[in-house]
Amino acid sequence: GVEVVAGSKPAPPAAAPLPTASNWNPSLLSIGALPTCSALESDNKERVANAAQWNFTHITAMLDVSTSPALTKELFLRAGEEWQNNLVLNLGYLKYTEIALSLSSNAGTRGDCQGTIPVIRFIPGTTFAGQVTLAVTLKKKGKYNVGIRAIDTNGYYSMYGSIWNVVD
């Protein structure tokens, strides 16, 4: 645990070691199914029906690579604190010790003035394989370039980039 002394802040968690150019591999990550929207209030029948209707009336992704491989990275998700967007990630045949989500521009820059890169890390200390579901609630509409960085069990890094169009 972290002990907080009056007037002080706990130290931030240690950052993952930065990869070198030789540690990067092409990404095997992909979207494994169309993203879906669900109501966070699962006992509210009106919200549940609204989410089901939204899924029915919105095409959330084009996963057919024969149309255009580039379009498979363009996703449409629902904005609002009452909705959960569910993205199924196909991790390929590798196992991963870390998966982290951030805006792509954070990976290409120093991040904030302290040189840190803000990320959301999936359950540290877990090994991920096969398919995992990323559940996100998005407050604001907009277009976001998102990067999902993964570190496999051999210490190699890869990044899956996608564009999230967050709409009503």
Side-chain angles (χ1 to χ4, degrees):
V2 175
E3 182 180 338
V4 179
V5 179
S8 69
K9 296 182 190 176
L18 293 174
T20 63
S22 63
N23 287 61
W24 283 96
N25 277 339
S27 179
L28 298 176
L29 278 68
S30 64
I31 297 295
L34 290 176
T36 60
C37 170
S38 59
L40 287 174
E41 291 180 76
S42 59
D43 59 342
N44 183 328
K45 291 180 182 181
E46 184 177 339
R47 288 258 168 92
V48 170
N50 185 299
Q53 184 66 24
W54 194 90
N55 289 325
F56 180 73
T57 58
H58 289 76
I59 298 173
T60 55
M62 175 61 71
L63 300 181
D64 181 4
V65 294
S66 66
T67 303
S68 171
L71 290 179
T72 63
K73 296 185 178 213
E74 188 98 15
L75 307 177
F76 289 84
L77 305 171
R78 191 171 190 183
E81 294 183 37
E82 60 269 33
W83 311 114
Q84 175 177 295
N85 296 278
N86 305 294
L87 288 81
V88 177
L89 298 176
N90 181 357
L91 302 180
Y93 63 88
L94 295 175
K95 292 182 180 178
Y96 296 91
T97 57
E98 183 175 307
I99 299 176
L101 170 80
S102 189
L103 297 174
S104 295
S105 58
N106 288 337
T109 65
R110 287 177 29 128
D112 65 15
C113 64
Q114 300 299 313
T116 59
I117 300 171
V119 299
I120 300 168
R121 289 194 176 114
F122 293 36
I123 315 165
T126 302
T127 299
F128 303 95
Q131 288 191 335
V132 296
T133 299
L134 169 61
V136 294
T137 296
L138 303 161
K139 290 183 177 184
K140 294 183 179 184
K141 295 185 297 182
K143 189 170 195 166
Y144 304 96
N145 291 318
V146 175
I148 299 174
R149 187 197 68 190
I151 305 172
D152 69 29
T153 54
N154 296 315
Y156 290 99
Y157 289 66
S158 62
M159 184 173 289
Y160 169 78
S162 62
I163 299 168
W164 291 7
N165 297 284
V166 182
V167 298
D168 281 333

